[in-house]
């Protein structure tokens, strides 16, 4: 396992926010965390990354988290938090280079170019970061953290907190396809928080759905994303439709009667 978490709990200001969570991520696996706002997902990820204190055991690449040298850990574990603000007048290319091991001034790093192309920001390489849109900045920050680990040999883990929240549908697909391919081809273990249930169903190998700081259910998409589980966790009705591609699609039904579309269009088409 590239990541092993056992009996992890987190208390903030005297309140238990995450309680007795255990999980593991294998090399090449994409594990996604689901749950409503306040379920403890981001707190759990911060604890796993070592950003906040917790009780329990966290093992990264076969070594206890606290026993890693920071410089070595940075090459094996990359973390993309929910919000990253860059107010310095750095270019896109310069920010991605921050995640690379010593890059000599004036040298072209092929990994930086590869990441910019893969995440559709190569055309922005000379743009200053404060000028970028929210979605462009999100893809930039993903490129930066991937630059830390993408060419490191051995076990690696990628921690992502809502890495697609500011993206349009096309870029959501592009980003998660790239992350999934990185897991499959390079054996990177991925632990990601996602709010979009359909993206989670499509791209996760395994899901953990949380409620009130605990693991409510764990398994593949077909086991976790059921009408009864979604009702219990999110409090809403949903239709779950299996697709030929092998994963389900979730259609929220709302709290009232299902409204059916009229049999005829209510307005004329423009000629």
């Amino acid at each position: 396992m590239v990541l092993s978490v056992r009996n992890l709990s987190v208390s903030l200001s005297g309140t238990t926010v995450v309680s007795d969570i255990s999980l593991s991520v294998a090399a090449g696996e994409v594990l996604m965390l689901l749950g409503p706002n306040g379920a403890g997902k981001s707190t759990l990820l911060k604890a796993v990354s070592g950003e906040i204190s917790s009780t329990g055991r966290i093992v990264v690449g076969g070594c206890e988290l606290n026993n890693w040298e920071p410089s070595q850990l940075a090459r094996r574990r990359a973390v993309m938090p929910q919000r990253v603000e860059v107010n310095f007048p750095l270019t896109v290319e310069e920010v991605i280079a921050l995640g690379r091991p010593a890059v000599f001034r004036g040298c072209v790093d092929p990994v930086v170019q590869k990441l910019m192309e893969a995440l559709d920001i190569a055309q922005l390489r000379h743009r200053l970061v404060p000028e970028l849109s929210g979605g462009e900045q999100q893809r930039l920050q993903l490129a930066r953290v991937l630059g830390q680990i993408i060419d490191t040999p051995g076990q690696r883990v990628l921690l992502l907190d809502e890495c697609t929240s500011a993206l349009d549908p096309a870029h959501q697909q592009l980003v998660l396809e790239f992350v999934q391919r990185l897991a499959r081809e390079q054996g990177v273990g991925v632990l990601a928080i996602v709010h979009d249930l359909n993206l989670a169903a499509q791209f996760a190998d395994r899901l953990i759905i949380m409620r009130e700081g605990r693991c409510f259910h764990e398994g593949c998409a077909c086991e976790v994303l059921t009408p009864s589980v979604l009702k219990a966790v999110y409090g809403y009705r949903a239709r779950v439709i299996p697709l030929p591609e092998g994963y389900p699609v979730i259609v929220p039904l709302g709290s009232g009667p299902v409204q059916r579309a009229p049999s005829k269009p209510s307005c004329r088409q423009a000629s």
Side-chain angles (χ1 to χ4, degrees), residues 30-228:
V30 178
L31 172 62
M32 290 188 176
L33 298 175
L34 301 173
N37 295 332
K41 305 180 299 298
S42 292
T43 300
L44 172 60
L45 204 73
K46 289 177 181 178
V48 171
S49 69
E51 182 180 341
I52 60 175
S53 299
S54 62
T55 60
R57 189 174 184 226
I58 303 169
V59 177
V60 177
C63 182
E64 295 279 351
L65 179 64
N66 294 333
N67 292 338
W68 278 99
E69 289 290 332
S71 60
Q72 294 299 314
L73 181 61
R75 297 284 285 143
R76 293 187 176 275
R77 183 221 57 193
V79 184
M80 182 177 170
Q82 193 172 14
R83 296 182 185 85
V84 180
E85 294 185 6
V86 178
N87 296 317
F88 299 102
L90 298 175
T91 66
V92 165
E93 191 171 18
E94 289 170 337
V95 169
I96 299 173
L98 293 174
R100 299 292 297 147
V103 177
F104 294 98
R105 185 179 297 276
C107 294
V108 176
D109 187 341
V111 171
V112 172
Q113 180 64 28
K114 175 184 176 181
L115 289 169
M116 288 192 297
E117 291 174 355
L119 296 173
D120 192 27
I121 52 176
Q123 72 280 10
L124 306 172
R125 66 189 310 150
H126 300 304
R127 287 272 300 276
L128 297 178
V129 176
E131 300 174 356
L132 302 179
S133 70
E136 290 167 343
Q137 291 201 33
Q138 199 164 43
R139 296 194 319 268
L140 166 61
Q141 294 304 328
L142 179 58
R144 177 184 62 80
V145 300
L146 286 175
Q148 293 178 223
I149 63 171
I150 195 166
D151 56 354
T152 301
Q155 294 187 331
R156 290 157 293 166
V157 63
L158 178 63
L159 307 178
L160 304 172
D161 192 348
E162 295 188 46
C163 69
T164 60
S165 60
L167 304 183
D168 59 63
H171 282 109
Q172 288 178 339
Q173 291 286 316
L174 180 147
V175 162
L176 290 179
E177 284 174 359
F178 182 64
V179 169
Q180 187 182 64
R181 187 163 62 251
L182 187 68
R184 300 285 188 272
E185 296 177 358
Q186 294 199 23
V188 175
V190 180
L191 177 63
I193 295 172
V194 177
H195 268 299
D196 190 308
L197 300 178
N198 287 312
L199 288 176
Q202 182 179 357
F203 290 103
D205 297 305
R206 196 158 45 90
L207 299 171
I208 291 177
I209 191 164
M210 295 178 62
R211 186 180 72 171
E212 297 177 352
R214 294 180 177 271
C215 173
F216 184 84
H217 200 42
E218 178 179 357
C220 67
C222 293
E223 295 168 334
V224 172
L225 300 176
T226 66
S228 60

